[in-house]
Amino acid sequence: MTIQEILNFRFLGNNVGAYLTCLGILLFGYAFKTLLSRLLSKLVFRFIRQRTEGVSELQFQALLIQPVSIVVFLVTVYLAFQVLDYPVHSSELKHNDPWPQVALFRLYQLGIIFGMAWILLRLVDFLELVFRRRAESSVSRLNDQLIPFAKDLLKVLVLTFAFLVMLGRVFGVNVTALIGGLGIGGLAVAFAAKESLENLIASFTIFLDRPFAVGDLVEVGGVTGTVEKVGFRSTRLRTAEKSYVTVPNKSMIDKPLDNLSLRTARRVTFTLALSHATTSEQLRGIVQDAQQTIQENPMTNNDVQIKFTALTPAAKEVTVQYFVETTNYDEYMNVKEELNYRLVELVEKHGGSFASTGTTIVQVGSPDRLRGLQSTEQPVL
C-alpha cells in the first residue's frame, strides 16, 4: 500500500491525511503557544508603552504570557478540528447530537471564557501597577486607598460578566430574562445579604467622606491600629501587637472614630509622688525647674502644667502634663524618656525623694525569739 493510499484511507468519516493535519496543527499550537503569546504581548505593549508610567515590558509579559498562551492553544484546537469533516459549529450543535460531542464543545467554550476572563483579570493587575507608580509621585494618600478598592471592584465586574456569558453561551440561559425575572427572589437575596450591602455602601461612604486614609493610625470600637486596606466589606488594621484586625466598614462609620494621625501633638500626663520628707522649699524648686526644663525642650510646646495638686497620707503629689509636638510614636517615646530622666535628676538635685509605701510584718513568738519589725518598701509610681 502506497503512502497516498494510506493518507486516503478513511475511518470514522475522515481520511488519515485529515487526522494527521489536525494533529500537526495541535502540535504546532502546543509547541509555539508561549512564543506566540510573547509576540502578542510585545505587540500590545508597543501601543501602550507611553502610558505605562515606568512599568517594564517584562512585568507586562509576566502577567499576560500564561493566560494568552492558553487562549492561543484553544484557538489552535478549534482550527485543528475544522480540518475534519465534522467541524464544530456552535450554531449547528443541537441538544440531540451525540452527548460526547456536546460535552466536549461545552467544555471548550468554558475554556475560552475562562481564558479571556483570566486575561482581563491580569490586565486589571497591570492597571494597578501603572496607577501605583503614578501614586508614588503624588503627595495625597487617597490613591493608596482607592487603587486596591478599584482593583477589587473591576475584578468582581469581570467575573460577574464572565459568569453571565457562561450562562448565556454555554448553557443557553436567557440572561436578560433571568435578570428581569429575579423579582421577589432578588429581593429575598438582598435581605439575606443585608449586612454585606450595608458594608459595601459604607465603603463608598468612607471614600466620599474620607475620615481616614491608608497609613493612618485610628482607634475605633476599642481597637487601635494602622489602616492597611479598605475593602468592599471590611477595613484591615495592623495593631501595635502586629496582629491583623478586620473591622466591618459599617462599624468604621457608625462608631466614634479617632484618627490619631491627625492630631498635632501627643499628651503626656502623670503624677510625681514625693515623700513627706521633701520640704516646701525643695518642692517649689523642683516644680519651677521642671516647668522650665520641659518648656525648653524643642519637641514640646508652651502648654506645660506642673502643679502641686494633692497632699495625701502617703505623699506630696505633683501633677505633670505637657504635649510632645509629633505624631511619630518613636519620637514621642524618646522625648518622654529623656524628660523623665531630667525630672529624676531635678528631684535628686534639690534633695527631694520619692514616696514609698511600707508593709509592716510583726513576728509573733517567745520573747527570746522576737525579731521586732521588718518592713519592705515599694516605690509609688
Side-chain angles (χ1 to χ4, degrees), residues 1 14 24 36 41 57 71-72 140 173 201 219 233 269 287-288 291 316 328 368-369:
M1 182 179 293
N14 294 276
L36 292 174
S41 300
E57 184 177 348
V71 173
V72 168
S140 174
V173 176
I201 294 172
E219 181 179 358
R233 194 195 69 83
T269 180
V287 170
Q288 291 174 1
Q291 180 93 17
K316 297 175 179 178
N328 185 280
D368 59 339
R369 297 182 58 191

Side-chain angles (χ1 to χ4, degrees), residues 178-233:
L178 176 65
I179 296 175
L182 287 176
I184 298 176
L187 187 62
V189 172
F191 275 113
K194 176 176 176 293
E195 291 293 331
S196 298
L197 290 175
E198 288 179 347
N199 288 318
L200 178 61
I201 294 172
S203 66
F204 287 105
T205 303
I206 290 172
F207 282 107
L208 293 175
D209 194 38
R210 289 186 284 180
F212 58 85
V214 172
D216 284 351
L217 179 66
V218 300
E219 181 179 358
V220 57
V223 179
T224 302
T226 302
V227 179
E228 290 198 351
K229 182 182 179 182
V230 180
F232 287 125
R233 194 195 69 83

Side-chain angles (χ1 to χ4, degrees), residues 272-276 308 310-317 354-356 380:
L272 287 178
L274 301 177
S275 68
H276 286 287
F308 177 27
L311 185 62
T312 68
K316 297 175 179 178
E317 296 184 352
F354 292 99
S356 60
V380 177

Side-chain angles (χ1 to χ4, degrees), residues 93-105:
L93 198 61
K94 301 296 188 298
H95 291 289
N96 57 358
D97 286 336
W99 70 266
Q101 185 179 2
V102 175
L104 287 175
F105 185 67

Side-chain angles (χ1 to χ4, degrees), residues 236-299:
R236 277 76 166 185
L237 303 178
R238 182 72 66 181
T239 67
E241 291 78 19
K242 303 304 179 184
S243 59
Y244 200 48
V245 180
T246 300
V247 182
N249 287 333
K250 184 175 180 291
S251 299
M252 297 296 291
I253 63 173
D254 284 352
K255 296 181 178 179
L257 184 143
D258 187 4
N259 192 330
L260 303 178
S261 295
L262 296 182
R263 59 188 175 184
T264 58
R266 287 175 176 264
R267 189 181 70 158
V268 179
T269 180
F270 58 92
T271 299
L272 287 178
L274 301 177
S275 68
H276 286 287
T278 305
T279 66
S280 59
E281 183 180 353
Q282 292 171 336
L283 188 58
R284 288 181 185 277
I286 292 171
V287 170
Q288 291 174 1
D289 288 355
Q291 180 93 17
Q292 181 180 355
T293 298
I294 295 177
Q295 286 180 340
E296 289 176 350
N297 190 290
M299 296 294 293

Side-chain angles (χ1 to χ4, degrees), residues 117 120-121 124 149-165 200 204 232:
L120 292 176
L121 292 176
V124 171
F149 182 83
K151 171 189 172 183
D152 293 340
L153 178 61
L154 287 175
K155 285 193 172 184
V156 169
L157 293 177
V158 168
L159 292 175
T160 303
F161 180 74
F163 178 73
L164 294 177
V165 172
L200 178 61
F204 287 105
F232 287 125

